């Protein structure tokens, strides 16, 4: 829970008057003592002076702490940003731009505030629903059937970055956009241009991320007896992919930053979610480090988002109709529950100051909520 001490103007005026009163009392006593050096203040006068200053200090601290406590309570509940009649399965968020999300055949943007009014950014071609959405440097990249497109996040004409048969996931580096599709992994300049194949895949690909000079994704494999996900990596310049040593059942999500890969895994529906880290200079055949183990239960999927310091992971227990969003610090430490869920989320993102997610509402539709990030536990 974030606690920000911002007193109201009336509080500041009242406290200021009390402090001035105390200073006037001290100044008067000093003047009296300087004029009558031979005399000393009586014990009664000294006692009253101390009481007066103590009351001023107590009122000042009480006003400041009281306002801080009220602001903390206000920040503890999520704000409903918007409600959509159409399902929202992908969204991205930024404090300056707001939340950008796909709903049906349209890409929308809305400020992160209570009861925001969405702006229609662009419609997809044909009858395609908006696929994976990534927001970076004021531009939104998204999947439109057999195309990867980009559009200014505050509105403008959209442009085609790449064309193909099918796109599953997209990821960005500083100068290129990467995608996983029917034929494997490829990339193109962010502004658009010729596509560069990086490697072929042996099975369907999901969850594509960029980590330093590495591209990582999961492939779906079926050996006839078991269906499982397996981690693969390839250098951003292309080459032979590296496969992980083992497969993961019910793989949920994959994230990456400049130094490491992170993913969640569970052994099945109703089991807890574990968070693991692979890095630096991650390769799929390296041994991962466990960051958190069995973070609640999973009914269908676990979602995750990240900021510079931590990972934010959702869990949902269908038997009790309750769930959480938990923060796990990348440097390690005890997990911290930062939000309680009343419906299973369909999308999750974080900004520098907010946690943003989409969840279904009855009888139909989806709403987007935002919660101010709490301070790490112990701060």
């Amino acid at each position: 829970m974030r606690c920000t001490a911002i007193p109201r103007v009336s509080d500041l005026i009242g406290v200021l008057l009390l402090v001035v009163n105390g200073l006037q009392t001290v100044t008067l006593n000093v003047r009296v003592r300087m004029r009558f050096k031979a005399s000393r203040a009586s014990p009664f006068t000294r006692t009253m002076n101390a009481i007066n200053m103590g009351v001023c200090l107590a009122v000042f601290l009480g006003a400041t702490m009281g306002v801080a406590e009220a602001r903390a309570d206000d920040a503890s509940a999520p704000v409903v940003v918007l409600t959509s009649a159409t399902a929202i399965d992908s969204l991205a968020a930024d404090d300056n731009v707001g939340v950008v999300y796909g709903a049906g055949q349209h890409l929308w943007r809305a400020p992160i505030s209570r009861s925001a009014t969405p702006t229609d950014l662009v419609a997809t071609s044909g009858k395609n629903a908006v696929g994976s959405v990534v927001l970076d440097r004021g531009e939104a990249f998204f999947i439109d059937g057999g195309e990867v497109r980009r559009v200014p996040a505050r509105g403008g004409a959209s442009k085609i970055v790449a064309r193909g048969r099918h796109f599953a996931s997209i990821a960005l580096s500083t100068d290129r956009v990467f995608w996983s599709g029917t034929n494997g992994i490829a990339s193109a300049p962010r502004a658009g241009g010729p596509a560069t194949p990086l490697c072929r895949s042996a099975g369907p690909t999901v969850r594509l991320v960029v980590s330093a000079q590495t591209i990582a994704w999961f492939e779906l494999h079926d050996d006839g007896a078991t269906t499982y996900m397996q981690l693969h990596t390839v250098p951003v310049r292309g080459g032979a992919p590296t496969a992980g040593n083992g497969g993961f059942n019910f793989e949920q999500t994959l994230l990456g930053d400049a130094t490491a890969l992170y993913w969640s895994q569970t052994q099945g529906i109703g089991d807890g979610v574990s968070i693991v880290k692979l890095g630096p200079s991650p390769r799929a055949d390296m041994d991962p480090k466990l960051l958190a183990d069995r973070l609640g239960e999973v009914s269908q999927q676990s979602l995750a988002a990240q900021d510079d310091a931590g990972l934010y992971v959702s869990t949902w227990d269908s038997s009790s109709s309750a769930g959480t969003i938990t923060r796990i610090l990348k440097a390690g430490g005890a997990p911290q529950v930062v939000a309680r869920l009343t419906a299973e989320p369909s999308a999750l993102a974080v900004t520098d100051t907010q946690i943003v997610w989409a969840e279904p509402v009855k009888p139909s539709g989806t709403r987007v909520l935002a919660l101010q990030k709490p301070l790490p536990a112990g701060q």
Side-chain angles (χ1 to χ4, degrees), residues 90 130-134 141-143 168-170:
S90 182
V130 173
S132 176
V133 179
V134 180
F141 292 76
F142 64 99
I143 294 175
S169 301
I170 55 176

Side-chain angles (χ1 to χ4, degrees), residues 84-225:
S84 168
T86 309
I88 298 174
D89 293 321
S90 182
L91 62 78
D94 177 85
D95 283 330
N96 295 322
V97 171
V99 57
V100 177
Y101 62 97
Q105 299 168 23
H106 291 260
L107 186 71
W108 301 82
R109 182 188 73 85
I112 305 176
S113 60
R114 188 186 302 273
S115 301
T117 301
T119 299
D120 190 350
L121 291 178
V122 65
T124 62
S125 57
K127 298 182 179 180
N128 300 318
V130 173
S132 176
V133 179
V134 180
L135 183 62
D136 183 56
R137 296 185 343 224
E139 288 188 310
F141 292 76
F142 64 99
I143 294 175
D144 177 2
E147 298 175 345
V148 175
R149 300 170 67 185
R150 65 184 177 93
V151 63
R154 295 188 179 275
S158 67
K159 296 182 179 180
I160 297 173
V161 178
R163 283 189 170 98
R165 291 178 55 191
H166 172 72
F167 295 96
S169 301
I170 55 176
L172 300 176
S173 67
T174 56
D175 59 348
R176 300 187 72 83
V177 56
F178 300 85
W179 63 86
S180 61
T182 305
N183 297 323
I185 312 300
S187 73
R190 287 171 61 128
T196 301
L198 300 180
C199 68
R200 297 188 64 85
S201 59
T205 58
V206 294
R207 310 285 193 267
L208 185 72
V209 301
V210 180
S211 176
Q213 297 301 308
T214 299
I215 308 299
W217 68 97
F218 281 99
E219 284 186 16
L220 179 64
H221 293 275
D222 187 347
D223 61 9

